[in-house]
Amino acid sequence: MLQVLSIPEDIYYLLASHNQIRYVFGEGQNVLDRLDLSYNKLSTIRWLKDFKQINMLDLSFNEIEDLSAREFEQLEKLTILKLNNNRLLTFDVPSDAPPAVLRSLDLSHNRLVRLSYNQQQFEQLEDLYLDHNSLISVTLGVTRKFKNLKLAHNDWDCATLMKLFKNIRFGTVVDYNSEMVCPNEHERGICCKESDIPYLDRLLQFTAVVISHDKKILANSQCNPSSLPVIYPGALSTAELEKEIQIFKKELQSLEVNIEEKESQVTQNVHKIDELIRMYRVATGDNAEPSYNLEQVLEHLKRREQFTVNETIARYDQAKAKENELGPITYETNHLDATLNAKRSARMTMYMETAQLFKLVQKLQKEVNRIATNNMRMIT
């Protein structure tokens, strides 16, 4: 069977499934759009950088254990990615890394225990398959794009599962009731476990299983358990494992105290949010989460701030308009003041001249009277 695959540059669609392919190479400027390499022996996808035009990629049923953001940097057109039935433990691709147009992602039947940095990418998907893994929690925002979502057969934390269901839009096809028999709790037919600290709880359970297994082996052996050598690097004895469990329990107690403090702080914050809601009379949804109400308050405050900014700008524009109108009026006022002052000065001059003329008239009148008196005397 084929073990090394070299893809010519003029191939548009290639089906090479059910082989023993371990290595893939591209030749020249590749235009490959659809590639099916399912049921092979691939353990890495570093070769993907040579296929920038790829739209659909099927890598299911291989031996891939690890992925990195670098391997997706050039895949700006990838819309369908199938990675189911591999050996993935994580799928951590930062939200700012391509593929930005990805619409369908199949991660089912892997060994996933954690998904980080993927919330933004998951929210743009239409189909997301996470079933048959070991996931405890995953973060999904409120998205309106999901059409199909598979979650069953994981190790879900019940609180996380309930939060997930709240963010799933009506009409999304979810694999509810896929697990009819659950050893613990279930939410809508999907098994889950209730725990305050899910990851630590699972770690303690796993450690307990390891210790129990070691004890059974030691009980069936003829040698002294304390004298058993360490037969593989990094292995711990039963006593050391029990010691670690005690350490974990102490850390758990410390975390529980921390959780109580955080819960108290959250309660205070919720009360503060309620006060802000009443203060600003913000409309909130029925039975809405405090985070949603806080978003409503913040949105209300943003609108108030924007209104204030707009009002300030409008008032400033009005003031500038008034100032522009005031310029001609001020000029006209100054002109009228100058005219008035000139007229006042002219009136004062006329007043002084009139006073002088009045004095002259009085003097002349006296002279006329004197002459008239003399004439009368002469006639007499």
Side-chain angles (χ1 to χ4, degrees):
M1 285 189 176
L2 188 64
Q3 294 187 6
V4 178
L5 177 63
S6 180
I7 303 176
E9 61 180 2
D10 56 348
I11 296 295
Y12 183 78
Y13 171 62
L14 178 60
L15 172 61
S17 61
H18 295 85
N19 280 284
Q20 299 291 323
I21 297 173
R22 297 178 182 273
Y23 306 100
V24 180
F25 301 96
E27 299 178 4
Q29 296 295 323
N30 210 287
V31 296
L32 188 65
D33 181 76
R34 300 170 65 86
L35 177 61
D36 186 348
L37 291 177
S38 57
Y39 294 93
N40 278 287
K41 298 293 183 180
L42 293 169
S43 60
T44 179
I45 59 171
R46 295 189 183 93
W47 45 269
L48 270 177
K49 64 181 184 298
D50 297 327
F51 303 94
K52 301 178 182 179
Q53 305 298 319
I54 199 163
N55 178 272
M56 191 283 288
L57 179 62
D58 189 348
L59 298 175
S60 58
F61 294 92
N62 275 278
E63 300 174 359
I64 301 171
E65 296 182 356
D66 186 36
L67 300 172
S68 70
R70 294 191 303 274
E71 290 149 358
F72 293 95
E73 286 178 351
Q74 307 296 328
L75 305 182
E76 297 181 353
K77 297 184 178 181
L78 184 63
T79 59
I80 301 174
L81 177 59
K82 296 181 179 180
L83 289 167
N84 53 292
N85 296 86
N86 276 279
R87 301 175 182 176
L88 293 172
L89 293 174
T90 63
F91 183 79
D92 299 337
V93 180
S95 59
D96 58 347
V101 296
L102 190 65
R103 292 294 174 265
S104 179
L105 176 62
D106 192 345
L107 296 172
S108 62
H109 294 273
N110 275 280
R111 302 172 183 176
L112 294 172
V113 295
R114 179 173 61 88
L115 290 173
S116 302
Y117 315 118
N118 302 105
Q119 180 178 349
Q120 183 173 334
Q121 289 177 334
F122 284 171
E123 289 174 3
Q124 72 187 15
L125 294 174
E126 295 178 357
D127 304 311
L128 177 60
Y129 305 99
L130 299 175
D131 54 290
H132 294 87
N133 281 285
S134 299
L135 291 169
I136 296 174
S137 66
V138 65
T139 302
L140 293 179
V142 180
T143 176
R144 303 298 178 189
K145 294 185 178 181
F146 274 141
K147 294 180 180 178
N148 295 287
L149 179 62
K150 304 298 182 185
L151 301 170
H153 301 285
N154 277 283
D155 195 17
W156 292 115
D157 172 56
C158 291
T160 298
L161 208 54
M162 291 177 63
K163 188 174 181 180
L164 276 176
F165 291 151
K166 289 182 180 179
N167 289 340
I168 297 174
R169 73 174 180 89
F170 179 77
T172 301
V173 178
V174 184
D175 54 346
Y176 297 133
N177 302 316
S178 298
E179 302 173 84
M180 301 306 296
V181 179
C182 296
N184 297 292
E185 303 294 328
H186 71 88
E187 290 291 336
R188 303 189 189 183
I190 297 179
C191 296
C192 62
K193 298 176 184 177
E194 292 186 354
S195 176
D196 293 332
I197 309 176
Y199 280 101
L200 182 57
D201 177 62
R202 304 306 192 274
L203 178 60
L204 292 174
Q205 291 178 6
F206 177 75
T207 305
V209 170
V210 171
I211 291 175
S212 176
H213 178 71
D214 285 351
K215 285 183 176 179
K216 289 180 180 179
I217 293 176
L218 294 174
N220 294 329
S221 65
Q222 300 298 322
C223 57
N224 184 0
S226 61
S227 64
L228 285 176
V230 177
I231 59 175
Y232 54 92
L236 298 177
S237 65
T238 302
E240 289 174 325
L241 288 173
E242 289 178 345
K243 184 178 180 180
E244 283 201 0
I245 288 180
Q246 296 301 322
I247 294 174
F248 283 138
K249 286 182 177 179
K250 289 181 180 179
E251 291 181 356
L252 178 59
Q253 292 175 354
S254 175
L255 289 172
E256 287 175 348
V257 172
N258 191 26
I259 287 173
E260 290 179 359
E261 294 176 354
K262 296 294 184 183
E263 287 178 347
S264 176
Q265 185 177 357
V266 168
T267 302
Q268 294 176 3
N269 290 337
V270 170
H271 291 330
K272 183 63 177 178
I273 292 171
D274 292 338
E275 291 178 6
L276 292 173
I277 289 172
R278 289 192 295 271
M279 181 185 301
Y280 296 111
R281 299 179 181 178
V282 178
T284 59
D286 296 335
N287 300 321
E289 292 288 330
S291 58
Y292 172 81
N293 291 337
L294 179 58
E295 290 177 1
Q296 295 298 103
V297 171
L298 294 176
E299 187 64 29
H300 177 76
L301 292 176
K302 287 180 181 178
R303 289 196 296 268
R304 281 172 57 94
E305 181 183 11
Q306 189 60 45
F307 175 80
T308 303
V309 171
N310 294 339
E311 187 70 15
T312 302
I313 293 173
R315 294 289 179 86
Y316 177 79
D317 292 340
Q318 291 176 0
K320 290 294 290 184
K322 294 292 184 182
E323 184 179 350
N324 294 334
E325 293 176 1
L326 188 61
I329 295 175
T330 302
Y331 175 80
E332 185 67 22
T333 301
N334 293 335
H335 177 70
L336 292 174
D337 285 341
T339 303
L340 180 60
N341 291 332
K343 288 184 177 182
R344 284 175 177 172
S345 178
R347 188 180 69 174
M348 183 61 67
T349 302
M350 291 177 62
Y351 177 78
M352 294 176 64
E353 289 178 353
T354 301
Q356 291 177 356
L357 289 173
F358 182 74
K359 289 180 179 180
L360 181 60
V361 168
Q362 285 182 336
K363 184 177 180 181
L364 291 174
Q365 185 65 42
K366 288 180 179 180
E367 185 65 23
V368 169
N369 291 337
R370 187 183 64 78
I371 293 172
T373 302
N374 291 334
N375 289 336
M376 288 294 294
R377 288 177 180 174
M378 290 178 63
I379 293 172
T380 304

